[in-house]
């Protein structure tokens, strides 16, 4: 694994990085934020926090979209620094040493939420590395070691997804069956039941084309405004179904992706899918205009290609843990650059191909990139 920063100047030129939070911030699925807090603990049912001058408060765990921490344990912070420098594998190893030390009783941790958080980060990083067997083993460790953590439900979902990517669909369905039983026994809300249904549907090989689309529409409708993150994830899968197979309908897919992009109630995986999908639609429209060979269409195509690159690079910069999309977004950013004329476009295309091959060598998109690399 080579550092991601080899193409960082190009990425940052296309998209500015978000500001860093100065205190813990809780983002909820209804688009609200709880700012300037100190996280006390994260359990399966609640996130507990303090605000200056107030007694301890809590928010339901299933309503939390994500949390930005202003302070991490020293070893976790060191690992995150390695990760920021592109040393993903080193970051994984450092986080694992921290978790193993905690579980072995070699050290105590004042931040009660931190060990489970570290394991969740390991899962995310292994997803980014395409280490699906590693995702399963880390998810199993989290499930066994932190059964009351807020990160437990996502661990089951990640495990099922990783098994699916390994073509172990029966095992993926079994993991989801276990999760549904857990959700029932713990009285978890409809959000997690719907999450399990969505993951099961995505694991079902019999659901393709219109069948898959109808199932996604049905899950999204039941999720509704009460569970917007599930709704939007199902809608991404619906949009993707329009550009899979032979009968592609890019206009319908684009309309779905644009609507979700305008909705703040979406997690990283959903947004990565949205912007990759938008890039695909814009790239397709650009190629179609170039085929017309009209001068006005050629100018429109150049603008569409630039817009496609912006969407793809948004995924690369802001959602780099979402391997399923990042490697594809890198590759097609390269293809879009290749189709452009003049300037540094061809050189930028080669940077993208090299980045895919170097950082995601085991993906299908790395194999595709090798066909275009010079």
């Amino acid at each position: 694994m080579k550092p991601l920063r080899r193409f960082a100047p190009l990425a940052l030129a296309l998209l500015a990085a978000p500001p860093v939070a100065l205190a813990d911030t809780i983002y909820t699925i209804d688009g609200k934020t709880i700012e300037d807090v100190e996280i006390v603990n994260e359990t399966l049912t609640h996130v507990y926090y303090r605000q200056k001058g107030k007694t301890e408060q809590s928010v339901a765990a299933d309503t939390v979209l994500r949390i930005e921490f202003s302070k991490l344990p020293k070893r976790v912070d060191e690992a995150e620094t390695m990760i920021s420098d592109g040393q993903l594998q080193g970051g994984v190893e450092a986080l694992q040493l921290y978790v193993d030390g905690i579980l072995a009783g070699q050290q105590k941790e004042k931040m009660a939420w931190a060990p489970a958080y570290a394991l969740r980060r390991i899962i995310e990083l292994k997803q980014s590395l395409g280490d699906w067997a590693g995702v399963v083993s880390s998810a199993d460790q989290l499930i066994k070691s932190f059964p009351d953590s807020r990160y437990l439900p996502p661990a089951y979902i990640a495990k099922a997804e990783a098994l699916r990517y390994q073509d172990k669909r029966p095992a993926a369905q079994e993991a989801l069956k276990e999760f549904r039983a857990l959700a029932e026994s713990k009285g978890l809300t409809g959000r997690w039941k719907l999450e399990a249904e969505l993951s099961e549907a995505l694991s079902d090989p019999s659901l393709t084309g219109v069948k898959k689309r109808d199932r996604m529409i049905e899950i999204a409708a039941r999720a509704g405004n009460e569970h917007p993150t599930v709704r939007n994830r199902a809608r991404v899968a619906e949009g993707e179904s329009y550009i899979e197979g032979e009968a592609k309908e890019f206009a319908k897919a684009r309309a779905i992706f644009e609507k979700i992009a305008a909705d703040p109630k979406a997690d990283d995986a959903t947004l990565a899918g949205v912007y990759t999908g938008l890039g695909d639609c814009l790239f397709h429209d650009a190629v179609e205009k170039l085929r017309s060979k009209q001068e006005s269409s050629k100018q429109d195509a150049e603008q569409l290609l630039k817009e496609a690159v912006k969407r793809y690079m948004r995924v690369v910069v802001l959602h780099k843990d979402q391997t399923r999309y990042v490697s594809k977004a890198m590759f097609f950013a390269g293809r879009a650059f290749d189709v452009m004329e003049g300037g540094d476009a061809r050189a930028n295309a080669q940077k993208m191909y090299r980045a895919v091959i170097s950082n995601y060598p085991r993906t299908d998109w790395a194999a595709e990139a090798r066909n275009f690399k010079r």
Side-chain angles (χ1 to χ4, degrees):
M1 171 63 65
K2 295 181 181 179
L4 292 174
R5 61 174 139 182
R6 62 166 51 217
F7 58 90
L10 169 63
L12 294 174
L14 291 159
L15 188 68
V20 177
L22 297 177
D24 294 350
T25 302
I26 302 170
Y27 295 84
T28 59
I29 59 176
D30 60 3
K32 297 178 181 178
T33 60
I34 306 173
E35 299 178 331
D36 297 323
V37 303
E38 178 188 355
I39 302 300
V40 177
N41 201 5
E42 300 180 273
T43 71
L44 192 55
T45 56
H46 290 84
V47 171
Y48 297 92
Y49 64 92
R50 294 192 189 95
Q51 285 180 309
K52 188 174 182 179
K54 296 183 180 180
T55 58
E56 186 173 292
Q57 302 175 72
S58 69
V59 59
D62 67 332
T63 66
V64 175
L65 181 61
R66 61 190 175 89
I67 296 175
E68 287 183 0
F69 295 99
S70 61
K71 185 178 181 181
L72 298 169
K74 182 180 178 181
R75 296 185 69 177
V76 176
D77 189 56
E78 290 171 350
E80 291 288 5
T81 298
M82 295 173 70
I83 294 161
S84 297
D85 288 341
Q87 301 175 52
L88 272 65
Q89 188 60 54
V92 167
E93 293 170 1
L95 288 169
Q96 191 65 59
L97 283 172
Y98 164 77
V99 171
D100 290 344
I102 296 292
L103 294 177
Q106 297 171 357
Q107 62 191 84
K108 293 184 179 180
E109 180 53 71
K110 293 180 180 179
M111 300 177 186
W113 50 267
Y117 164 86
L119 256 181
R120 174 58 183 163
R121 287 291 287 134
I122 291 170
I123 292 170
E124 291 172 343
L125 291 163
K126 287 183 176 180
Q127 288 174 319
S128 184
L129 292 164
D131 179 7
W132 303 119
V135 170
V136 173
S137 64
S138 294
D140 281 339
Q141 186 178 29
L142 194 155
I143 290 165
K144 179 182 177 180
S145 302
F146 303 101
D148 191 41
S149 169
R150 180 174 76 87
Y151 302 103
L152 187 70
Y156 273 105
I157 299 298
K159 177 181 177 178
E161 180 185 61
L163 289 166
R164 185 168 78 244
Y165 287 155
Q166 295 177 85
D167 291 324
K168 297 178 179 179
R169 291 181 184 272
Q173 294 286 359
E174 184 60 31
L176 291 168
K177 182 179 177 181
E178 291 176 13
F179 173 56
R180 286 167 70 89
L182 170 78
E184 188 70 29
S185 67
K186 296 291 186 179
L188 301 184
T189 66
R191 172 189 172 186
W192 294 118
K193 291 181 181 180
L194 285 168
E195 291 274 16
E197 283 188 42
L198 177 57
S199 191
E200 284 173 343
L202 293 172
S203 298
D204 188 343
S206 69
L207 288 179
T208 58
V210 175
K211 282 186 177 180
K212 176 182 177 181
R213 187 178 308 146
D214 289 345
R215 182 71 171 123
M216 295 302 108
I217 291 171
E218 185 263 330
I219 291 174
R222 285 197 290 121
N225 292 329
E226 186 177 1
H227 307 293
T229 54
V230 183
R231 179 195 66 215
N232 285 335
R233 194 150 46 249
R235 293 226 68 198
V236 168
E238 177 194 350
E240 290 171 343
S241 74
Y242 280 112
I243 54 180
E244 296 171 348
E246 296 182 4
K248 293 178 171 58
E249 299 180 77
F250 283 92
K252 289 183 178 180
R254 182 174 175 178
I256 291 171
F257 294 140
E258 286 179 341
K259 186 173 182 179
I260 302 171
D263 186 347
K265 302 169 187 176
D267 57 22
D268 280 352
T270 299
L271 292 172
V274 164
Y275 286 105
T276 302
L278 282 172
D280 292 344
C281 294
L282 291 162
F283 181 67
H284 168 267
D285 291 350
V287 171
E288 288 298 303
K289 285 187 177 294
L290 287 173
R291 284 175 179 163
S292 72
K293 296 184 179 180
Q294 296 179 6
E295 190 60 32
S296 59
S297 293
K298 185 177 178 180
Q299 293 174 356
D300 290 342
E302 282 290 313
Q303 185 58 39
L304 285 169
L305 288 168
K306 291 176 182 178
E307 292 299 320
V309 167
K310 287 181 181 179
R311 302 313 189 276
Y312 288 134
M313 294 309 297
R314 185 183 183 95
V315 178
V316 173
V317 175
L318 297 184
H319 307 292
K320 56 188 176 184
D321 288 337
Q322 304 302 320
T323 307
R324 176 188 171 194
Y325 294 108
V326 173
S327 54
K328 178 182 179 181
M330 279 185 184
F331 172 73
F332 275 102
R335 294 295 302 124
F337 277 127
D338 252 345
V339 178
M340 291 180 188
E341 291 187 355
D344 298 325
R346 298 297 165 82
N348 287 336
Q350 291 301 309
K351 288 179 183 178
M352 291 294 102
Y353 299 145
R354 288 194 295 271
V356 178
I357 294 166
S358 174
N359 292 290
Y360 305 99
R362 290 183 283 182
T363 64
D364 292 341
W365 301 113
E368 291 285 342
R370 291 185 185 97
N371 295 325
F372 293 91
K373 181 177 174 293
R374 294 193 298 271

